[in-house]
Each structure stands twice: as C-alpha cells, then as structure tokens.
Amino acid sequence: MTNKDNMKQPVGILTLRAYDARGVELWRAAACNRIVATGYAAAAEALAGVAGARIAQVGAGTSGNEPTDNDTQIADAVRVDVQSIEYPTPSTVRFNFTFGYDDAVGMTIREFGLYTADGRLFSRKVREPIEKTQYMSLVGAWDIHF
C-alpha cells in the first residue's frame, strides 16, 4: 500500500487460531486490518520515546461496523495484555496475545483492536462473528509491517 507521495504505508495483519478445551486447533484465519489515525499518531510518538505510545493490549469487541480512520475504540471491549513481542523481519513487529478459556466468555466477537499503553486504538479489524465459549481459546499474532 502506498500513500499519495508513493511512500509505503504500514500494513497490519491479524492472525488468529482457535483451540478447543483439549488444545486441538479448530481453525486458523489471517487478514489485513486498518491502522487508524490515532495509530499513526502513536507510532510517531513511539519513535520519539513516548512510553504511553507503545503497543500493550489487544481488545475483542462486538461491533461489526467497517473500520474507519476516525475509529478510537471498539465496542464492549474485553482486553488482554500483549504476552510477547517479536521481530520476524527487520521491518515487522509482531504482538502475540491470547484470549484464554476464561476471557470474553459468552461474547459474540466481531472485531479486534490493538491498543497502546495509554489506551489509544492503534488498529482495528472486523471479521465474521466468533461465538466465544469457555471451551475455546484464541491465540493471536498481530503483525505490523513498515
């Protein structure tokens, strides 16, 4: 993706894997997300060393509305902390997370959001609904490619 000046734009890819209570993989999906305006501002601040601008959490929410640049939150968010960070290529950062068996139980998850430490939405992904039960965990990796 490029901007009006033919410069490469950052791209996010959310990969999810669902597991049943025995740890057997039920399904796997990956798709691009939208980096929102507050995400670009946070990225600039992170480069300047602003501590609150670092990515710290992932949220699961209930809205199926398509993402826009002006999104600042996801609906009815249940958030989990980023568990680890990797750098699979020199231009990629990966945020690993898990919605465990006890997280977001009973929620119909239609969206995911990547959040900064100070609570700003960085990026958002809407997808087909997931009926989250206590018998399912969701393991995710959210890549941002620069």
Side-chain angles (χ1 to χ4, degrees), residues 10-93:
V11 175
I13 299 175
L14 173 60
T15 302
L16 292 172
R17 295 183 316 263
Y19 294 93
D20 70 12
R22 297 176 316 217
V24 174
E25 186 175 299
L26 301 170
W27 53 262
R28 179 184 300 223
C32 291
N33 64 249
R34 183 178 203 119
I35 298 173
V36 298
T38 52
Y40 286 107
E45 290 177 14
L47 288 172
V50 175
R54 69 178 175 77
I55 300 298
Q57 292 186 315
V58 176
T62 58
S63 175
N65 296 335
E66 285 302 310
T68 71
D69 288 339
N70 297 321
D71 290 342
T72 59
Q73 295 293 323
I74 63 173
D76 307 314
V78 172
R79 296 186 194 183
V80 296
D81 290 337
V82 168
Q83 294 169 306
S84 65
I85 299 170
E86 300 174 272
Y87 304 93
T89 72
S91 61
T92 303
V93 60

Coordinates of all heavy atoms in Angstrom, one line a residue, residues 10-93:
P10 N 2.4 1.6 6.5 CA 2.4 0.4 7.3 C 1.1 -0.4 7.1 O 0.1 0.1 6.8 CB 2.4 1.0 8.7 CG 2.8 2.4 8.6 CD 2.4 2.9 7.2
V11 N 1.3 -1.7 7.2 CA 0.2 -2.6 7.0 C 0.1 -3.6 8.2 O 1.2 -4.0 8.6 CB 0.4 -3.5 5.7 CG1 -0.7 -4.5 5.5 CG2 0.5 -2.6 4.5
G12 N -1.1 -3.8 8.6 CA -1.2 -4.8 9.8 C -1.9 -6.0 9.3 O -2.8 -6.0 8.4
I13 N -1.5 -7.2 9.8 CA -2.1 -8.5 9.6 C -2.4 -9.2 10.9 O -1.5 -9.4 11.7 CB -1.2 -9.4 8.7 CG1 -1.0 -8.7 7.3 CG2 -1.9 -10.7 8.5 CD1 -0.1 -9.4 6.4
L14 N -3.6 -9.5 11.1 CA -4.1 -10.2 12.3 C -4.2 -11.7 12.0 O -5.0 -12.0 11.1 CB -5.4 -9.6 12.8 CG -6.0 -10.4 14.0 CD1 -5.1 -10.4 15.2 CD2 -7.4 -9.7 14.3
T15 N -3.5 -12.5 12.7 CA -3.6 -14.0 12.5 C -4.2 -14.5 13.8 O -3.7 -14.3 14.9 CB -2.3 -14.6 12.3 OG1 -1.7 -14.1 11.1 CG2 -2.4 -16.1 12.1
L16 N -5.3 -15.3 13.7 CA -6.0 -16.0 14.8 C -6.0 -17.5 14.7 O -6.2 -18.0 13.5 CB -7.4 -15.5 15.0 CG -7.6 -14.0 15.4 CD1 -9.1 -13.7 15.2 CD2 -7.1 -13.8 16.8
R17 N -5.8 -18.2 15.8 CA -6.0 -19.6 15.8 C -6.9 -19.9 17.0 O -6.7 -19.4 18.1 CB -4.7 -20.3 16.0 CG -3.7 -20.2 14.8 CD -2.4 -21.0 15.0 NE -1.8 -20.9 16.3 CZ -0.9 -20.0 16.7 NH1 -0.4 -19.2 15.8 NH2 -0.4 -20.0 17.9
A18 N -7.9 -20.7 16.8 CA -8.9 -21.1 17.8 C -8.5 -22.6 18.2 O -8.3 -23.4 17.4 CB -10.3 -21.0 17.3
Y19 N -8.6 -22.8 19.5 CA -8.3 -24.1 20.1 C -9.5 -24.6 21.0 O -10.0 -23.7 21.7 CB -7.0 -24.1 20.9 CG -5.8 -23.9 20.1 CD1 -5.3 -22.6 19.9 CD2 -5.1 -24.9 19.5 CE1 -4.2 -22.3 19.2 CE2 -4.0 -24.7 18.7 CZ -3.5 -23.4 18.6 OH -2.4 -23.2 17.8
D20 N -9.8 -25.8 21.0 CA -10.8 -26.4 21.9 C -10.2 -26.6 23.3 O -9.0 -26.4 23.5 CB -11.5 -27.6 21.3 CG -10.6 -28.8 21.2 OD1 -9.5 -28.9 21.8 OD2 -11.1 -29.8 20.5
A21 N -11.0 -27.1 24.2 CA -10.5 -27.3 25.6 C -9.4 -28.4 25.7 O -8.7 -28.4 26.7 CB -11.7 -27.8 26.4
R22 N -9.3 -29.2 24.7 CA -8.2 -30.2 24.7 C -6.9 -29.7 24.0 O -5.9 -30.4 24.0 CB -8.6 -31.5 24.0 CG -9.8 -32.2 24.7 CD -10.2 -33.4 23.9 NE -10.3 -32.9 22.5 CZ -11.2 -33.3 21.6 NH1 -12.1 -34.2 21.9 NH2 -11.1 -32.8 20.4
G23 N -7.0 -28.4 23.5 CA -5.8 -27.9 22.8 C -5.7 -28.2 21.4 O -4.7 -28.0 20.7
V24 N -6.8 -28.8 20.8 CA -6.8 -29.1 19.4 C -7.2 -27.9 18.6 O -8.2 -27.2 18.9 CB -7.8 -30.3 19.1 CG1 -8.0 -30.6 17.6 CG2 -7.4 -31.5 19.9
E25 N -6.4 -27.6 17.5 CA -6.7 -26.4 16.7 C -8.1 -26.6 15.9 O -8.2 -27.6 15.3 CB -5.6 -26.1 15.7 CG -5.8 -24.9 14.9 CD -4.7 -24.5 14.0 OE1 -3.5 -24.3 14.5 OE2 -4.9 -24.4 12.8
L26 N -9.0 -25.7 16.1 CA -10.3 -25.7 15.4 C -10.3 -25.0 14.1 O -10.9 -25.5 13.1 CB -11.3 -25.1 16.3 CG -11.5 -25.6 17.7 CD1 -12.4 -24.7 18.5 CD2 -12.1 -27.0 17.6
W27 N -9.6 -23.9 14.0 CA -9.5 -23.1 12.8 C -8.4 -22.1 12.9 O -7.9 -21.8 14.0 CB -10.8 -22.5 12.3 CG -11.5 -21.6 13.4 CD1 -12.5 -22.0 14.2 CD2 -11.2 -20.2 13.7 NE1 -12.8 -20.9 15.1 CE2 -12.0 -19.9 14.8 CE3 -10.2 -19.3 13.3 CZ2 -12.0 -18.6 15.3 CZ3 -10.2 -18.0 13.8 CH2 -11.1 -17.7 14.9
R28 N -8.0 -21.6 11.7 CA -7.0 -20.6 11.6 C -7.4 -19.6 10.6 O -7.9 -19.9 9.5 CB -5.7 -21.2 11.2 CG -4.5 -20.2 11.1 CD -3.3 -21.0 10.6 NE -2.9 -22.0 11.6 CZ -1.7 -22.2 12.0 NH1 -0.7 -21.6 11.5 NH2 -1.4 -23.2 12.8
A29 N -7.2 -18.3 10.8 CA -7.5 -17.2 9.9 C -6.5 -16.1 10.0 O -6.0 -15.8 11.0 CB -8.9 -16.7 10.1
A30 N -6.3 -15.4 8.8 CA -5.4 -14.3 8.8 C -6.0 -13.3 7.8 O -6.5 -13.6 6.7 CB -4.0 -14.6 8.4
A31 N -5.9 -12.0 8.2 CA -6.4 -10.9 7.3 C -5.8 -9.6 7.7 O -5.4 -9.4 8.8 CB -8.0 -10.9 7.3
C32 N -5.8 -8.7 6.7 CA -5.3 -7.3 7.0 C -6.3 -6.5 7.8 O -7.5 -6.8 7.9 CB -5.2 -6.6 5.6 SG -3.8 -7.2 4.6
N33 N -5.8 -5.5 8.5 CA -6.6 -4.7 9.4 C -6.4 -3.2 8.9 O -5.6 -2.9 8.1 CB -6.2 -4.8 10.8 CG -4.8 -4.4 11.2 OD1 -4.0 -5.2 11.5 ND2 -4.5 -3.1 11.0
R34 N -7.1 -2.3 9.6 CA -6.9 -0.9 9.3 C -6.2 -0.2 10.4 O -6.6 -0.3 11.6 CB -8.3 -0.2 9.1 CG -8.2 1.2 8.8 CD -9.6 1.8 8.5 NE -9.5 3.0 7.7 CZ -10.0 3.1 6.5 NH1 -10.7 2.1 6.0 NH2 -9.9 4.2 5.8
I35 N -5.1 0.5 10.1 CA -4.4 1.3 11.1 C -5.2 2.6 11.1 O -5.3 3.2 10.0 CB -2.9 1.5 10.8 CG1 -2.2 0.1 10.8 CG2 -2.3 2.5 11.7 CD1 -0.8 0.1 10.4
V36 N -5.6 3.1 12.3 CA -6.4 4.3 12.4 C -5.6 5.5 12.6 O -4.4 5.4 12.9 CB -7.5 4.1 13.4 CG1 -8.5 2.9 13.1 CG2 -6.9 3.9 14.8
A37 N -6.2 6.7 12.6 CA -5.5 8.0 12.7 C -4.7 8.0 14.1 O -3.6 8.5 14.1 CB -6.4 9.1 12.6
T38 N -5.4 7.6 15.1 CA -4.7 7.6 16.4 C -3.5 6.7 16.4 O -2.5 6.9 17.2 CB -5.6 7.3 17.6 OG1 -6.3 6.1 17.3 CG2 -6.6 8.4 17.8
G39 N -3.5 5.6 15.6 CA -2.4 4.7 15.5 C -1.2 5.3 14.9 O -0.1 5.1 15.3
Y40 N -1.4 6.1 13.8 CA -0.3 6.8 13.2 C 0.3 7.8 14.1 O 1.5 8.0 14.2 CB -0.8 7.5 11.9 CG -1.0 6.5 10.8 CD1 -2.3 6.2 10.3 CD2 0.1 5.9 10.1 CE1 -2.5 5.3 9.3 CE2 -0.1 5.0 9.1 CZ -1.4 4.7 8.7 OH -1.6 3.8 7.7
A41 N -0.5 8.5 14.9 CA 0.0 9.5 15.9 C 0.8 8.7 16.9 O 1.9 9.2 17.3 CB -1.1 10.3 16.5
A42 N 0.3 7.6 17.4 CA 1.0 6.8 18.4 C 2.4 6.3 17.9 O 3.4 6.3 18.6 CB 0.2 5.7 18.9
A43 N 2.4 5.9 16.6 CA 3.6 5.4 16.0 C 4.7 6.5 16.0 O 5.9 6.3 16.3 CB 3.4 4.9 14.6
A44 N 4.3 7.7 15.6 CA 5.2 8.8 15.6 C 5.7 9.1 17.1 O 6.9 9.3 17.3 CB 4.5 10.1 15.1
E45 N 4.8 9.1 18.0 CA 5.2 9.3 19.4 C 6.2 8.2 19.9 O 7.1 8.4 20.7 CB 4.0 9.4 20.3 CG 3.2 10.7 20.1 CD 2.0 10.8 20.9 OE1 1.8 10.0 21.9 OE2 1.1 11.6 20.6
A46 N 5.9 6.9 19.5 CA 6.7 5.8 19.9 C 8.1 6.0 19.4 O 9.1 5.7 20.1 CB 6.1 4.5 19.5
L47 N 8.3 6.5 18.2 CA 9.6 6.8 17.6 C 10.3 7.8 18.4 O 11.6 7.8 18.5 CB 9.5 7.2 16.2 CG 9.1 6.1 15.2 CD1 8.8 6.6 13.8 CD2 10.2 5.0 15.1
A48 N 9.6 8.7 19.1 CA 10.2 9.8 19.9 C 10.4 9.4 21.3 O 10.9 10.1 22.1 CB 9.3 11.0 19.8
G49 N 10.0 8.1 21.7 CA 10.2 7.6 23.0 C 9.1 7.8 24.0 O 9.3 7.7 25.2
V50 N 7.9 8.2 23.6 CA 6.8 8.4 24.5 C 6.4 7.0 25.0 O 5.9 6.2 24.2 CB 5.7 9.2 23.8 CG1 4.4 9.3 24.7 CG2 6.1 10.5 23.3
A51 N 6.5 6.8 26.3 CA 6.2 5.5 26.8 C 4.8 5.0 26.6 O 4.6 3.8 26.3 CB 6.6 5.5 28.3
G52 N 3.8 5.9 26.8 CA 2.4 5.5 26.6 C 2.0 5.1 25.2 O 1.0 4.6 25.0
A53 N 2.9 5.4 24.2 CA 2.6 5.1 22.8 C 2.9 3.7 22.4 O 2.5 3.2 21.3 CB 3.3 6.1 21.9
R54 N 3.5 2.9 23.3 CA 3.9 1.5 22.9 C 2.6 0.7 22.9 O 1.7 0.9 23.6 CB 4.9 1.0 23.9 CG 4.4 0.7 25.3 CD 5.4 0.1 26.2 NE 4.9 0.0 27.6 CZ 4.0 -0.9 28.0 NH1 3.6 -1.9 27.1 NH2 3.6 -1.0 29.2
I55 N 2.6 -0.4 22.1 CA 1.5 -1.3 22.0 C 1.5 -2.2 23.2 O 2.6 -2.8 23.5 CB 1.6 -2.1 20.7 CG1 1.6 -1.2 19.5 CG2 0.5 -3.2 20.7 CD1 0.3 -0.4 19.3
A56 N 0.4 -2.3 23.9 CA 0.3 -3.1 25.1 C -0.8 -4.0 25.3 O -0.7 -5.0 26.0 CB 0.3 -2.1 26.3
Q57 N -1.9 -3.8 24.5 CA -3.1 -4.7 24.7 C -3.8 -5.0 23.4 O -3.6 -4.2 22.4 CB -4.1 -4.0 25.7 CG -3.6 -3.9 27.1 CD -4.7 -3.4 28.0 OE1 -5.4 -2.5 27.7 NE2 -4.9 -4.1 29.1
V58 N -4.6 -6.0 23.4 CA -5.5 -6.4 22.3 C -6.9 -6.5 22.9 O -7.1 -7.0 24.0 CB -5.1 -7.7 21.6 CG1 -6.1 -8.1 20.5 CG2 -3.7 -7.6 21.0
G59 N -7.8 -5.9 22.2 CA -9.2 -5.9 22.6 C -10.1 -6.7 21.7 O -9.8 -6.8 20.5
A60 N -11.1 -7.4 22.2 CA -12.1 -8.1 21.4 C -13.4 -7.4 21.7 O -13.7 -7.0 22.8 CB -12.2 -9.6 21.8
G61 N -14.2 -7.1 20.6 CA -15.4 -6.3 20.7 C -16.5 -6.9 19.9 O -16.4 -7.9 19.2
T62 N -17.7 -6.2 20.0 CA -18.9 -6.7 19.4 C -19.4 -6.0 18.1 O -20.4 -6.4 17.5 CB -20.0 -6.6 20.5 OG1 -20.2 -5.3 20.9 CG2 -19.7 -7.5 21.6
S63 N -18.8 -4.9 17.7 CA -19.3 -4.1 16.6 C -18.9 -4.7 15.3 O -17.7 -5.1 15.1 CB -18.9 -2.7 16.6 OG -19.3 -2.0 15.4
G64 N -19.8 -4.8 14.3 CA -19.5 -5.3 13.0 C -19.3 -4.2 12.0 O -19.2 -4.4 10.8
N65 N -19.4 -2.9 12.5 CA -19.2 -1.8 11.6 C -17.8 -1.8 11.0 O -16.8 -2.0 11.7 CB -19.5 -0.5 12.3 CG -20.9 -0.4 12.8 OD1 -21.8 -1.0 12.3 ND2 -21.1 0.4 13.8
E66 N -17.8 -1.5 9.7 CA -16.5 -1.4 9.0 C -15.6 -0.4 9.6 O -16.0 0.7 10.0 CB -16.7 -1.1 7.5 CG -17.2 -2.3 6.7 CD -16.3 -3.5 6.8 OE1 -15.0 -3.4 6.6 OE2 -16.8 -4.6 7.1
P67 N -14.3 -0.7 9.7 CA -13.3 0.3 10.3 C -13.2 1.6 9.5 O -13.3 1.5 8.2 CB -12.0 -0.5 10.3 CG -12.3 -1.9 10.2 CD -13.6 -2.0 9.4
T68 N -12.9 2.7 10.2 CA -12.7 3.9 9.5 C -11.4 4.6 10.1 O -11.0 4.2 11.2 CB -13.8 5.0 9.7 OG1 -13.9 5.4 11.0 CG2 -15.2 4.3 9.2
D69 N -10.8 5.5 9.5 CA -9.7 6.2 10.0 C -10.0 6.9 11.3 O -9.1 7.1 12.1 CB -9.2 7.3 9.0 CG -8.5 6.7 7.8 OD1 -8.1 5.5 7.9 OD2 -8.4 7.4 6.8
N70 N -11.2 7.3 11.6 CA -11.6 8.0 12.8 C -12.0 7.2 14.0 O -12.3 7.7 15.0 CB -12.7 9.0 12.4 CG -12.3 10.0 11.4 OD1 -11.2 10.5 11.5 ND2 -13.2 10.3 10.5
D71 N -11.9 5.8 13.8 CA -12.2 5.0 15.0 C -11.3 5.2 16.1 O -10.1 5.4 15.9 CB -12.1 3.5 14.6 CG -13.2 3.1 13.6 OD1 -14.3 3.8 13.5 OD2 -13.1 2.0 13.0
T72 N -11.8 5.3 17.3 CA -11.0 5.5 18.5 C -11.1 4.4 19.6 O -10.3 4.3 20.5 CB -11.3 6.8 19.2 OG1 -12.6 6.9 19.6 CG2 -10.9 8.0 18.3
Q73 N -12.1 3.5 19.4 CA -12.4 2.4 20.4 C -13.1 1.3 19.6 O -13.6 1.5 18.5 CB -13.3 2.9 21.5 CG -12.7 3.9 22.4 CD -11.5 3.4 23.2 OE1 -11.5 2.3 23.6 NE2 -10.5 4.2 23.4
I74 N -13.2 0.1 20.3 CA -14.0 -0.9 19.8 C -15.1 -1.1 20.8 O -15.0 -0.7 22.0 CB -13.3 -2.2 19.5 CG1 -12.6 -2.8 20.8 CG2 -12.2 -2.0 18.5 CD1 -12.0 -4.2 20.6
A75 N -16.3 -1.7 20.4 CA -17.5 -1.8 21.2 C -17.4 -2.9 22.3 O -17.0 -4.0 21.9 CB -18.7 -2.0 20.4
D76 N -17.7 -2.6 23.5 CA -17.8 -3.6 24.6 C -16.5 -4.3 24.7 O -16.5 -5.5 24.9 CB -19.0 -4.5 24.3 CG -20.3 -3.8 24.1 OD1 -20.6 -2.9 24.9 OD2 -21.0 -4.2 23.1
A77 N -15.4 -3.6 24.7 CA -14.1 -4.3 24.6 C -13.7 -5.1 25.9 O -13.9 -4.6 27.0 CB -13.0 -3.2 24.4
V78 N -13.2 -6.3 25.6 CA -12.6 -7.1 26.6 C -11.1 -7.1 26.2 O -10.8 -7.5 25.1 CB -13.1 -8.5 26.7 CG1 -12.3 -9.4 27.6 CG2 -14.6 -8.5 27.1
R79 N -10.2 -6.6 27.0 CA -8.8 -6.5 26.7 C -7.9 -7.5 27.4 O -8.2 -7.8 28.5 CB -8.3 -5.1 27.0 CG -9.0 -4.0 26.2 CD -8.3 -2.7 26.4 NE -9.1 -1.6 25.9 CZ -8.7 -0.3 26.0 NH1 -7.5 0.0 26.5 NH2 -9.5 0.6 25.5
V80 N -6.9 -8.0 26.7 CA -5.9 -8.8 27.2 C -4.5 -8.1 26.9 O -4.4 -7.4 26.0 CB -5.9 -10.2 26.7 CG1 -7.2 -10.9 27.1 CG2 -5.7 -10.3 25.2
D81 N -3.5 -8.4 27.8 CA -2.2 -7.8 27.6 C -1.5 -8.6 26.5 O -1.7 -9.8 26.3 CB -1.4 -8.0 28.9 CG -1.9 -7.0 30.0 OD1 -2.5 -6.0 29.6 OD2 -1.6 -7.3 31.1
V82 N -0.6 -7.8 25.8 CA 0.3 -8.5 24.8 C 1.2 -9.3 25.6 O 1.8 -8.9 26.6 CB 1.0 -7.4 24.0 CG1 2.2 -8.0 23.2 CG2 0.1 -6.7 23.1
Q83 N 1.4 -10.6 25.2 CA 2.3 -11.5 26.0 C 3.7 -11.4 25.6 O 4.6 -11.6 26.5 CB 1.7 -12.9 25.8 CG 0.4 -13.1 26.4 CD -0.2 -14.5 26.0 OE1 -0.3 -14.8 24.8 NE2 -0.6 -15.3 26.9
S84 N 4.0 -11.2 24.3 CA 5.4 -11.2 23.9 C 5.4 -10.4 22.6 O 4.4 -10.2 21.9 CB 6.0 -12.5 23.7 OG 5.3 -13.2 22.7
I85 N 6.6 -9.9 22.3 CA 6.8 -9.1 21.0 C 8.0 -9.8 20.3 O 9.0 -10.2 20.9 CB 7.1 -7.7 21.4 CG1 5.9 -7.0 22.1 CG2 7.4 -6.9 20.1 CD1 6.2 -5.7 22.7
E86 N 7.8 -9.9 19.0 CA 8.9 -10.5 18.1 C 9.1 -9.5 17.0 O 8.3 -8.7 16.7 CB 8.4 -11.8 17.6 CG 8.1 -12.9 18.6 CD 7.6 -14.1 17.9 OE1 6.3 -14.2 17.7 OE2 8.4 -15.0 17.6
Y87 N 10.3 -9.8 16.3 CA 10.7 -9.0 15.1 C 11.0 -10.0 14.1 O 12.2 -10.3 13.8 CB 11.8 -8.1 15.5 CG 11.5 -7.1 16.6 CD1 11.8 -7.5 17.9 CD2 10.8 -6.0 16.4 CE1 11.5 -6.7 19.0 CE2 10.4 -5.1 17.5 CZ 10.8 -5.5 18.7 OH 10.5 -4.7 19.8
P88 N 10.0 -10.6 13.4 CA 10.3 -11.7 12.4 C 11.1 -11.2 11.2 O 11.8 -12.0 10.5 CB 8.9 -12.2 12.0 CG 8.0 -11.1 12.4 CD 8.6 -10.4 13.5
T89 N 11.0 -9.9 10.8 CA 11.9 -9.3 9.8 C 12.3 -8.0 10.2 O 11.7 -7.4 11.2 CB 11.1 -9.2 8.4 OG1 10.1 -8.1 8.5 CG2 10.4 -10.5 8.0
P90 N 13.3 -7.3 9.6 CA 13.7 -6.0 10.0 C 12.6 -4.9 10.0 O 12.7 -3.9 10.6 CB 14.9 -5.7 9.1 CG 15.4 -7.0 8.6 CD 14.2 -7.9 8.6
S91 N 11.6 -5.2 9.2 CA 10.5 -4.2 9.0 C 9.2 -4.6 9.6 O 8.1 -4.0 9.3 CB 10.3 -3.8 7.5 OG 10.0 -4.9 6.8
T92 N 9.2 -5.7 10.5 CA 8.0 -6.2 11.0 C 8.1 -6.3 12.5 O 9.1 -6.8 13.0 CB 7.6 -7.6 10.4 OG1 7.5 -7.5 9.0 CG2 6.3 -8.1 11.0
V93 N 7.0 -5.9 13.2 CA 6.9 -6.2 14.7 C 5.6 -7.0 14.9 O 4.6 -6.7 14.2 CB 6.9 -4.9 15.5 CG1 5.7 -4.0 15.1 CG2 6.9 -5.2 17.0

